[in-house]
Amino acid sequence: MPELPEAEVMRRAVARWALGREVAGVEVGDPAVLRGLGVEALVGQRLEAVERWGKQVVLGFEAHAAVIHLRMTGKVIRVGAGEERSVRVAWRWADGALPVGVIDRRRLGHVTVVRRGEEAGAVGELGPEPWPGVLSGEALAAQLRSARSAVKAALLEPRRVGGVGNIVACEGLWRAGIAPHRPVGSLEPEAWAALGEGLWAACDAVITAEGETEEIRFVSEGAPPEGFAVYAREGERCRRCEGVVTRAQLGGRGTWWCAGCQR
DNA sequence: GCTGTTGTTGAAGC
DNA sequence: AGCTTCAACAACAG
């Protein structure tokens, strides 16, 4: 499932593929994923910017923008490059370059067309993001302070921190040495600062590893899990101490942490 | 055939 | 009111 790092790698790929090109036509494979103004409105417009808002990829055309919410299984691909199953919507380019499309096996994602400048309304309320800048301990504490819940549950709320998903939350907490079930109110200033650094490093590690890849792979598709210290590694020895990686449900989500060095 | 995933939201509960 | 928890969405693996 795409989180901030995967969305960033896809953003870069789409920019390489299509920035500056003009839309010649739109293929709709599944009208149910479409929201907002009709996708036909984009025909004839040049792609001026490819942005990432949290986990969402935003295609900025001259007068409109397409906000792509990938949710669980969504992925932005080039149609014709070998991965085009379940194409929900695709844009053809006037110069004949391979179309760019959105695939989404489980159809939880959607594509919303809005007027340029109104992207925020489609993206939804989004807190500050942990990458590319490091969130300071003060900034993190300010965003999470009002929560009464476990620190990991609060991290997964998009309004508090943008772009953090289950993997980034688990890995960031491990890097910071913080147990996921600790109540938000129990973190001291040093822990908040370490968490900001940990979340940044968890994101940056994936972005660096995936580099300029053309076809991002998710964990569910066998992406190399060596980069993860705790996520989906139940029962394995911690890389940092003698502890063992533990799994539990927290806030309804699978959560992995090292009981030895995450306090 | 039922359960468990998984992100996000909106409704229900406290 | 303000916060937390949970169902729903959809599809598939086990």
Side-chain angles (χ1 to χ4, degrees):
Chain A
M1 55 306 308
E3 300 185 15
L4 185 157
E6 289 85 358
E8 174 63 19
V9 174
M10 282 188 252
R11 184 196 70 74
R12 293 177 180 187
V14 175
R16 285 197 305 277
W17 297 336
L19 206 51
R21 299 195 198 281
E22 180 189 322
V23 177
V26 184
E27 307 292 336
V28 178
D30 181 5
V33 309
L34 300 178
R35 305 275 155 85
L37 312 170
V39 278
E40 292 75 21
L42 303 173
V43 174
Q45 295 188 44
R46 200 169 294 280
L47 182 62
E48 290 183 330
V50 186
E51 301 168 354
R52 179 190 56 74
W53 291 45
K55 305 170 183 173
Q56 301 175 59
V57 176
V58 178
L59 308 183
F61 295 91
E62 290 166 69
H64 295 89
V67 178
I68 303 170
H69 198 146
L70 302 162
R71 287 284 190 113
M72 303 295 300
T73 54
K75 188 185 289 189
V76 187
I77 59 144
R78 267 186 309 182
V79 180
E83 213 183 352
E84 54 271 19
R85 287 174 305 164
S86 317
V87 178
R88 307 300 174 187
V89 59
W91 291 271
R92 285 186 286 107
W93 308 107
D95 65 358
L98 285 181
V100 167
V102 176
I103 60 174
D104 185 6
R105 225 182 41 201
R106 279 167 54 182
R107 304 170 65 218
L108 282 174
H110 39 81
V111 176
T112 308
V113 176
V114 296
R115 264 184 276 278
R116 194 84 188 272
E118 296 175 2
E119 294 90 339
V123 168
E125 209 179 333
L126 204 61
E129 303 184 25
W131 188 95
V134 178
L135 282 178
S136 69
E138 291 79 11
L140 260 183
Q143 289 303 114
L144 302 190
R145 188 167 290 140
S146 66
R148 302 283 139 77
S149 55
V151 60
K152 192 219 172 199
L155 280 173
L156 291 177
E157 293 179 41
R159 280 172 308 165
R160 297 185 186 278
V161 188
V164 175
N166 209 25
I167 298 173
V168 169
C170 289
E171 293 296 309
L173 285 163
W174 177 81
R175 287 173 184 264
I178 299 167
H181 39 77
R182 267 182 74 176
V184 162
S186 74
L187 298 210
E188 47 290 284
E190 309 80 60
W192 285 119
L195 185 53
E197 299 282 348
L199 292 170
W200 179 89
C203 290
D204 202 64
V206 175
I207 293 167
T208 300
E210 295 295 331
E212 304 296 293
T213 189
E214 300 285 280
E215 282 185 20
I216 187 121
R217 298 175 73 80
F218 301 149
V219 179
S220 58
E221 298 171 323
E226 300 89 61
F228 300 133
V230 289
Y231 183 81
R233 303 183 90 79
E234 183 179 10
E236 294 184 29
R237 172 64 50 81
C238 177
R239 301 176 177 189
R240 191 167 52 195
C241 75
E242 295 303 300
V244 173
V245 177
T246 309
R247 181 191 187 281
Q249 288 278 122
L250 204 160
R253 292 287 176 269
T255 302
W256 291 263
W257 77 99
C258 171
C261 56
Q262 288 182 252
R263 299 290 173 180

